[in-house]
Amino acid sequence: GAVVSQHPSWVICKSGTSVKIECRSLDFQATTMFWYRQFPKQSLMLMATSNEGSKATYEQGVEKDKFLINHASLTLSTLTVTSAHPEDSSFYICSARDLGSTGGFGNTIYFGEGSWLTVV
Amino acid sequence: RKEVEQDPGPFNVPEGATVAFNCTYSNSASQSFFWYRQDCRKEPKLLMSVYSSGNEDGRFTAQLNRASQYISLLIRDSKLSDSATYLCVVNKDNTDKLIFGTGTRLQVFP
């Protein structure tokens, strides 16, 4: 079945540096991908919608200059956490919908494995 | 008010028990409803979609009440492997964006 892959799974970085997380749809094309963040014991919160070939749209309260999103191809979206600080430490996860697949809404949305970011 | 509200639990139940989780959502424009399961430090995985007529998948039964904006999940004959966090999820404004509840933690003990 369709798979969405994220890389890296784990990353530790120093405060003030930038970190890039990749989200790939492995066997389908995704014009839209979504980025979520989950702090410990909290729900997944939608950060932004990544749109292939155009600017990402950000949810209220999410700083677009801090969380840079690039969706340069139909199978790859990247999230760059710029000037990372310890409070950015979180679980970042992407999802994409395989519009070419039959089946209900829920059966065509795929999540990446997630990326754990720790900023020290 | 949170867009999707759940009792965080934890629910501690013995094997074989029946347990029910409830969820309310605030966005009346939502058209798609799901229960996801999330294991510790892992990505969420779809457990089942929820339909207006109610639906069952093995030991799991989901119900939706659009008028009350209420969703439920019933797990029968709990197994140790059911221990996880169960996330109530709705889509936002009939889009592909998903709004997650904080999850209800279930711990099944022997």
Side-chain angles (χ1 to χ4, degrees):
Chain A
V3 175
V4 172
S5 179
Q6 269 184 254
H7 178 80
S9 299
W10 301 83
V11 58
I12 300 174
C13 71
K14 291 185 177 181
S15 186
T17 62
S18 295
V19 174
K20 181 185 287 187
I21 300 170
E22 294 185 347
C23 178
R24 293 181 185 273
S25 54
L26 296 185
D27 55 4
F28 67 96
Q29 294 182 331
T31 56
T32 304
M33 293 185 177
F34 301 94
W35 286 97
Y36 296 82
R37 177 170 57 180
Q38 185 178 31
F39 292 110
K41 298 186 179 181
Q42 296 187 24
S43 64
L44 279 78
M45 295 296 294
L46 179 64
M47 297 175 68
T49 303
S50 173
N51 304 298
E52 188 269 333
S54 65
K55 291 182 179 180
T57 53
Y58 291 81
E59 296 300 303
Q60 189 174 7
V62 178
E63 298 175 59
K64 63 179 181 180
D65 294 329
K66 180 167 182 64
F67 299 99
L68 301 179
I69 292 173
N70 184 282
H71 195 150
S73 78
L74 287 170
T75 59
L76 174 64
S77 174
T78 61
L79 169 69
T80 301
V81 183
T82 62
S83 187
H85 291 284
E87 57 265 31
D88 297 322
S89 298
S90 186
F91 183 55
Y92 292 86
I93 190 164
C94 68
S95 74
R97 187 174 180 197
D98 181 4
L99 295 175
S101 175
T102 57
F105 185 111
N107 291 319
T108 56
I109 290 182
Y110 299 95
F111 282 86
E113 308 96 326
S115 300
W116 285 96
L117 170 64
T118 301
V119 184
V120 297
Chain B
R1 182 187 173 190
K2 293 179 183 176
E3 291 183 86
V4 178
E5 296 209 53
Q6 294 180 251
D7 179 346
F11 285 62
N12 297 305
V13 303
E15 276 186 288
T18 295
V19 61
F21 303 141
N22 302 319
C23 164
T24 57
Y25 62 95
S26 61
N27 190 337
S28 60
S30 294
Q31 297 293 320
S32 300
F33 310 90
F34 314 94
W35 284 101
Y36 275 76
R37 169 192 170 129
Q38 187 175 28
D39 293 289
C40 188
R41 304 176 80 83
K42 297 283 189 181
E43 77 274 22
K45 294 185 178 177
L46 180 67
L47 180 65
M48 59 195 302
S49 299
V50 187
Y51 305 113
S52 296
S53 55
N55 49 298
E56 186 175 305
D57 183 1
R59 298 182 292 109
F60 301 87
T61 301
Q63 297 279 351
L64 168 65
N65 184 321
R66 284 184 184 266
S68 302
Q69 296 181 196
Y70 170 92
I71 306 166
S72 67
L73 176 68
L74 184 76
I75 304 176
R76 291 182 299 278
D77 189 22
S78 298
K79 310 291 185 191
L80 294 175
S81 57
D82 293 334
S83 299
T85 297
Y86 291 82
L87 305 170
C88 178
V89 184
V90 307
N91 74 320
K92 183 173 182 178
D93 296 330
N94 203 25
T95 67
D96 288 352
K97 298 179 182 181
L98 297 179
I99 307 299
F100 287 79
T102 51
T104 299
R105 187 161 164 240
L106 172 66
Q107 184 67 49
V108 181
F109 58 87

